[in-house]
Amino acid sequence: MMTIDLLWQHLAQNPVLWLCLTLVAYQIGIWVYQKSGYITLLSPFVIAVAILLGILFSTDTHYETFFAGAQFVHFLLGPATVALAVPLFDQRRRLAKLWAPLLIGVVVGCITGVVSTVLLGVLFDASFESIMSMAPKSVTTPIAMGISEKMGGIAEFTAGIVVLTGIVGSLLASPLFKLFRIKKDYVKGFSLGVSAHGMGTSRAFQISDKAGAFSGLAMGLAGIITAFAAPMIAPPLLNWLMN
C-alpha cells in the first residue's frame, strides 16, 4: 500500500498524467453521450467533469497540481475561439441584417447576468469577494478571471463558477427552447453564447453550424461588454444594496 501511495505521489507531479486523464475523461464523456442517445444531462462536459472531480477528491489532489497538466488544453481555448471566425464568415450576410437586435440582446443579457448575480448574492448573504467572483460567470474563463480580479474577487473561485454556469446553461438549453417554443437556430445559438460561453457554443454546434456561428459571436461580444459593464455595475450596485 505504501508503495502504491509513493508511486501515485510521484506520478501526480507529472503534468502529462493530468493532461492524459483530461483527454481520456472527455473521450469517455463523448462515448457515454453517444450511447445515451444524446441525452443533454449526459453531455461530455458533465461526464468529464464528474470523472476528474472524482479522481481529484479520491486522491486528495490540489487543483494547482491538476491544472499544471490541464493548462495545455486551457491554452487551446484562445486558438479555438479565434477559429470561430470561420463559421461567422459563412453567416456574414445574415449577421449584417440582424446586427441591431443582436447587439441589443447581448447588452441586455450581459447586464441581466451581472445584476441578477449581485441580487442573488445579497439575498443569500454572500461575501463581497464571492459576489464579485460570480458576477462575470457568463463569459469565457480567461476573461471572467481577469474581470473578477479587477473587482476584488477570487479568480480561482470564478473559474469554477464559470464552468458550472456553462454546464448548467448547456443542460437547461433544450428544455427552455421547448418551453418557449424557440425553433430558429440562430436564436438558440445566440442565447447559448450569451449565457453559457464556450460550453454553450459547443452545445450550439451540436444543433447546427448556424447556431454555433451565432453562439461564437455572442460569446465574443459578451466577453467584451461584460469586461466594461461588470466593474461599472457590480461594485456600485452591491454597495448601494448593502447601505
Side-chain angles (χ1 to χ4, degrees):
M1 189 67 178
M2 183 65 69
T3 303
I4 295 176
D5 290 340
L6 291 174
L7 178 61
W8 173 256
Q9 290 176 11
H10 174 73
L11 291 174
Q13 301 304 315
N14 190 338
V16 176
L17 171 67
W18 299 108
L19 174 62
C20 293
L21 287 176
T22 300
L23 297 176
V24 169
Y26 189 72
Q27 286 300 316
I28 293 174
I30 293 175
W31 181 80
V32 172
Y33 187 53
Q34 293 173 340
K35 291 296 182 179
S36 69
Y38 301 98
I39 297 175
T40 306
L41 187 61
L42 298 176
S43 68
F45 302 113
V46 177
I47 300 300
V49 170
I51 292 174
L52 292 172
L53 283 177
I55 294 173
L56 292 178
F57 280 117
S58 62
T59 59
D60 195 25
T61 301
H62 294 291
Y63 173 77
E64 291 78 8
T65 302
F66 162 76
F67 191 72
Q71 65 178 329
F72 299 108
V73 178
H74 185 267
F75 170 78
L76 295 176
L77 283 174
T81 302
V82 174
L84 291 173
V86 176
L88 278 176
F89 181 78
D90 294 336
Q91 299 294 326
R92 61 191 182 280
R93 292 187 177 86
R94 184 178 291 272
L95 289 172
K97 295 178 181 178
L98 297 172
W99 70 268
L102 293 178
L103 182 60
I104 294 172
V106 73
V107 170
V108 172
C110 291
I111 294 175
T112 301
V114 173
V115 172
S116 62
T117 301
V118 174
L119 293 177
L120 287 172
V122 173
L123 179 63
F124 289 99
D125 197 27
S127 66
F128 176 87
E129 290 79 7
S130 296
I131 296 175
M132 293 303 104
S133 300
M134 294 185 291
K137 68 185 185 310
S138 296
V139 299
T140 190
T141 305
I143 298 176
M145 293 176 69
I147 297 172
S148 172
E149 288 181 334
K150 183 178 180 180
M151 297 190 300
I154 305 169
E156 292 77 11
F157 182 37
T158 301
I161 293 297
V162 168
V163 172
L164 181 61
T165 300
I167 292 174
V168 173
S170 300
L171 291 177
L172 294 180
S174 295
L176 289 176
F177 291 152
K178 291 180 181 178
L179 177 64
F180 294 102
R181 299 180 181 178
I182 298 174
K183 298 180 180 179
K184 295 182 178 179
D185 285 357
Y186 68 86
V187 178
K188 293 179 179 180
F190 200 79
S191 60
L192 277 166
V194 172
S195 60
H197 50 82
M199 290 188 183
T201 300
S202 178
R203 175 71 182 90
F205 271 109
Q206 293 175 0
I207 298 174
S208 69
D209 288 342
K210 183 188 295 183
F214 276 84
S215 183
L217 173 65
M219 181 179 67
L221 290 176
I224 296 171
I225 294 172
T226 304
F228 289 97
M232 294 174 60
I233 296 174
L237 177 61
L238 180 58
N239 291 330
W240 180 73
L241 291 171
M242 297 299 290
N243 296 327

